[in-house]
Amino acid sequence: MDGRDLVRSVKLVGSVRGLRTVRSSWRRRNADARALPRRGAERARVPGLVVGAEPGPGGGVVRFARSELRVRVAVGGAVFLGWDGAEPLPSYALAGAGPEPDPRAELEPDKDGGWQVVSERLTVAVSRHGAVELRTPGGVVLRRELPPRWWEPVAGGAARWVQRSEVPADARFFGLGGRASGPRLRDGVYRLWNTDPGGSFGPGDDPLYLTMPVQLVVSDAGTHLVFHDNSWSGRVTLREGEEGAGSGHDRPGMCEVRMDGGPLRCWVMAGTPARVLQGWTALTGAPALPPSWALGPQHARWGFGSEREVRRVVAGYRERGLPLSVLHLDIDHYDAHRVFTVDRERFPDLPGLAKELRENGVRLVSIVDPAVKAEPGNAVFDSGRAVGGGGAFVRDARGRVVRGEVWPGECVYPDFTNPQVREWWGGLYEERLAQGFSGVWHDMNEPVSFAAFGEPTLPRSARHCLEGRGGDHRQVHNVYGLAMARAGYEGLRRLRPEERPFLFSRSGWAGMQRYGGTWSGDVETIWPGLRASLALVLGMGLCGVPYSGPDVGGFGGSPSPELYLRWFQLGAYLPLFRTHAAIDAGRREPWEFGPRVLEHARAALEERERLRPYFVTLAQLAQLTGAPYVRPLWWGAPGERALRDCEDTFLLGDALLVAPVLEPGAERRAVRLPRGRWYDTATGEVYEGPGQVLLDAPLSRVPVLARAGSVLPVRGADGGVELEVWAPGAGRSGGGLVVRDAGDGWERAEVERYTSRLVDGTVVVERDGEEGPVNGPVRVRGL
């Protein structure tokens, strides 16, 4: 228990809810003490020496004295490594049955008594002691896995294990889900246990709501991704390497993965960053495509309180000519915080309000928490008890329904690892659609139970269905939010099959992009919180979740006008652009911070709307290729070491470079440029990369640069789509991809490819496969 947990505990104990929370915490502790065996004496084990091998599809099995390793290369180049009989399935991360083995990859003897599998993108070399080297086709080592070690309780039970790895001395680590201290992960220990931090968080807080055992490693040797497919709690220790000076030896980088149980299995894929993310999403599923309206400006507040206040806020946007696409209702619109209900006194006609707003171009999105008030007469509770043979709710090892303390009071928790429960829960969203909501926002789904002793979770011994296999909460905790997202997404698809569902979730796990996106959670309202917001979005994109964004302005407290504006300007270039605040944080509408902030916020909103066709294109390309909208500066040039260390600037697609202001009082900032020609979109100034430039960053805007030769779709003055083309340099060419908005259904979009080149001082733009001038307006900039 840390200081924050202690303060929260002291505040809670004096209230009725606090007493129930203390009782709930003791129940959890007692349940675990009874049901979870003590580890007692343990027996350590390593693989031992190789004793034989058996070829199989895509590779084969290498047998050691005390273990065995399965190596399988899949079609597409991903490599699976599974110890002690571990197979790719079952897995919550993989999409469907997983990829087929590559028939061209064969297990063959290697030097010194080892074995190897050679594939198109990776060579896997297994030593006679159980070390595994992953090499490029040219023989350069990307990663070396040392022989693993297990600790098995003598009395029986889950074995914990450790896997240590070495990477090149110049390598940089990224990923591991939502990390406020990223996107580059420095030396340290990172926990794998989805956690509600119990209040607003900053860059030093770890873990947060959404952890993933997904590492992306970038070095001169190449880029590779490693995914340890294990949902148990664990921790990852990282240490960057150091290159030897002169004739000194390099010290390789180090990664150590320790898990408290579960299988030792992992997937590895290598190539360019774009190819790695494409392979990762092929393995875990294509990102859900958000409706086009979800790419516009969104506004939320915990504490609108009434239909009158909602109308006042929306009218404020309309009267000031500010665009608004979505408004979110938090838990205060529920009846006594009970999910799938409405407070009829404060919201007497919610369907009418939703219809009125929709006619003005504003959609309503509802928060949905998993905790169900344990109260007979509560329709959700009563219907849940009738699901299947034993009800929908999680039980302890003695068969009793687990109860915890959340916003509605004493609550129970659906077991989303049960297909029947997912179907029941998905059907409940019919009530949300009937109230006029167009999408949902999952919160408190780590899952949270208020705790007086720093234990914001269900008992680790609680029992779950696990798709019929059975197991306890130690295996389920990290995938609970993922399974809830699946239930909601599939339910919305059944209920409204003609529309793409809109869903984003605070918690989740690898593969959650199949069902929607995420957001930062309760980020602290401080300048480091602004920096953490960017880190989280970049990190989630590199883990395969392209649609995300922060609480613009921070969650709790009152931002200064400058901090609010700089956060707003950053948010305008992120996929999920949403202002949000706690119930006691005051109003966050742009006009609440004075006329100067309003003027500059208006410019950011207008630019976001102008770029809406570009965001539509990026969303479609993310689904097709896995490439995130927001990319680190090294995305196209991972070999550029200076770019790997740049964390305060990002690429928006291929065309734009955005340099947000992340420090108070700054009106100029240094910006590192990748190779090529770049145009300042505000001043038209031209800069040549690679290198570093100093750019103006007045309070009215943040620096945004366009890549020479880029072709991107924007909204024209008439509201239609026009092509914005940034002139290529002499003797150079460029281009871009454009995907038109095909509506919010399931119609397959067409990808248009354009090229640009400079001919006798004139920029010529052509569409691949067509002759003659481009059909539609084209605006050339940069000449």
Side-chain angles (χ1 to χ4, degrees), residues 598-619:
L598 173 60
E599 175 189 356
H600 301 329
R602 181 194 309 278
L605 284 167
E606 290 174 349
E607 181 63 5
R608 172 63 176 233
E609 287 298 274
R610 193 183 77 87
L611 291 174
R612 181 87 77 91
Y614 187 46
F615 275 93
V616 169
T617 292
L618 294 177

Side-chain angles (χ1 to χ4, degrees), residues 404-467:
E405 187 71 19
V406 200
W407 297 117
E410 192 169 56
C411 291
V412 293
Y413 300 83
D415 180 5
F416 295 115
T417 68
N418 185 331
Q420 288 182 299
V421 174
R422 288 198 297 268
E423 185 174 1
W424 160 73
W425 184 263
L428 298 176
Y429 288 76
E430 184 174 12
E431 182 273 341
R432 294 287 86 185
L433 297 177
Q435 297 295 342
F437 290 106
S438 298
V440 293
W441 147 36
H442 286 177
D443 197 6
M444 306 291 284
N445 58 338
E446 288 72 36
V448 171
S449 175
F450 295 153
F453 300 104
E455 304 168 2
T457 183
L458 300 180
R460 295 181 185 234
S461 59
R463 303 298 299 172
H464 291 268
C465 172
L466 277 168
E467 317 305 320

Side-chain angles (χ1 to χ4, degrees), residues 412-760:
V412 293
Y413 300 83
D415 180 5
F416 295 115
T417 68
N418 185 331
Q420 288 182 299
V421 174
R422 288 198 297 268
E423 185 174 1
W424 160 73
W425 184 263
L428 298 176
Y429 288 76
E430 184 174 12
E431 182 273 341
R432 294 287 86 185
L433 297 177
Q435 297 295 342
F437 290 106
S438 298
V440 293
W441 147 36
H442 286 177
D443 197 6
M444 306 291 284
N445 58 338
E446 288 72 36
V448 171
S449 175
F450 295 153
F453 300 104
E455 304 168 2
T457 183
L458 300 180
R460 295 181 185 234
S461 59
R463 303 298 299 172
H464 291 268
C465 172
L466 277 168
E467 317 305 320
R469 301 186 302 275
D472 61 39
H473 195 66
R474 292 175 296 176
Q475 305 166 65
V476 169
H477 177 83
N478 283 335
V479 298
Y480 189 87
L482 170 71
M484 180 187 178
R486 178 181 177 182
Y489 182 85
E490 291 177 348
L492 290 170
R493 283 203 65 170
R494 289 195 305 270
L495 293 167
R496 195 162 286 177
E498 71 281 0
E499 294 183 10
R500 299 197 301 271
F502 177 56
L503 183 153
F504 65 103
S505 172
R506 190 169 81 172
S507 185
W509 203 60
M512 68 170 295
Q513 73 276 356
R514 300 191 296 265
Y515 313 116
T518 185
W519 95 104
S520 66
D522 303 342
V523 63
E524 195 169 359
T525 306
I526 54 177
W527 284 91
L530 170 58
R531 184 177 288 271
S533 296
L534 176 57
L536 287 160
V537 174
L538 282 166
M540 291 308 304
L542 294 176
C543 289
V545 185
Y547 184 85
S548 67
D551 285 346
V552 167
F555 181 66
S558 299
S560 68
E562 182 190 9
L563 176 56
Y564 173 83
L565 179 60
R566 291 308 196 186
W567 220 317
F568 201 90
Q569 290 167 335
L570 168 63
Y573 294 96
L574 299 181
L576 172 59
F577 178 24
R578 183 183 82 145
T579 56
H580 183 46
I583 195 168
D584 57 351
R587 293 170 174 168
R588 289 284 173 82
E589 294 77 48
W591 55 89
E592 299 291 346
F593 294 85
R596 190 180 182 197
V597 169
L598 173 60
E599 175 189 356
H600 301 329
R602 181 194 309 278
L605 284 167
E606 290 174 349
E607 181 63 5
R608 172 63 176 233
E609 287 298 274
R610 193 183 77 87
L611 291 174
R612 181 87 77 91
Y614 187 46
F615 275 93
V616 169
T617 292
L618 294 177
Q620 293 277 1
L621 295 179
Q623 186 187 50
L624 293 171
T625 69
Y629 312 28
V630 171
R631 307 165 187 178
L633 222 54
W634 48 260
W635 178 260
E640 297 285 344
R641 295 190 179 188
L643 299 183
R644 294 181 212 154
D645 297 338
C646 185
E647 302 177 279
D648 60 356
T649 308
F650 62 92
L651 299 173
L652 182 61
D654 285 330
L656 300 179
L657 184 154
V658 182
V661 175
L662 305 176
E663 298 176 352
E667 294 202 347
R668 300 194 82 194
R669 61 150 296 175
V671 177
R672 182 161 297 280
L673 299 179
R675 192 175 303 276
R677 172 173 289 187
W678 296 87
Y679 295 94
D680 188 317
T681 58
T683 67
E685 290 287 327
V686 182
Y687 302 96
E688 290 288 342
Q692 185 167 282
V693 295
L694 192 63
L695 300 181
D696 289 334
L699 199 61
S700 59
R701 62 179 175 84
V702 296
V704 178
L705 294 96
R707 191 190 302 270
S710 294
V711 179
L712 65 156
V714 298
R715 183 172 291 175
D718 62 353
V721 175
E722 70 176 21
L723 299 184
E724 183 170 272
V725 183
W726 289 89
R732 300 178 184 176
S733 61
L737 303 177
V738 176
V739 184
R740 312 271 175 172
D741 188 354
D744 295 331
W746 301 95
E747 183 178 346
R748 187 173 181 83
E750 180 184 3
V751 179
E752 304 171 8
R753 299 176 182 272
Y754 292 90
T755 58
S756 65
R757 50 196 174 92
L758 195 62
V759 179
D760 298 330

Side-chain angles (χ1 to χ4, degrees), residues 75-206:
V75 172
V79 173
F80 174 78
L81 303 172
W83 287 92
D84 283 355
E87 295 278 357
L89 296 175
S91 169
Y92 278 100
L94 269 58
E100 292 293 320
D102 186 344
R104 299 171 299 174
E106 296 180 355
L107 184 66
E108 57 189 38
D110 195 14
K111 61 185 179 180
D112 298 328
W115 294 83
Q116 70 173 6
V117 179
V118 179
S119 69
E120 182 181 358
R121 298 181 188 174
L122 277 174
T123 294
V124 184
V126 183
S127 80
R128 61 194 182 99
H129 295 284
V132 179
E133 282 191 353
L134 298 148
R135 305 171 188 152
T136 67
V140 179
V141 177
L142 286 174
R143 188 182 191 93
R144 183 171 188 264
E145 305 275 9
L146 302 179
R149 181 181 293 268
W150 295 264
W151 288 270
E152 298 165 330
V154 173
R160 58 191 180 95
W161 54 261
V162 61
Q163 174 79 73
R164 295 185 178 93
S165 310
E166 294 176 350
V167 297
D170 65 289
R172 295 290 182 262
F173 296 98
F174 301 87
L176 296 182
R179 305 289 168 171
S181 58
R184 173 184 162 194
L185 301 176
R186 264 70 172 186
D187 295 1
V189 179
Y190 300 87
R191 285 191 60 202
L192 297 170
W193 188 254
N194 293 348
T195 302
D196 169 22
S200 296
F201 68 87
D205 291 308
D206 185 89

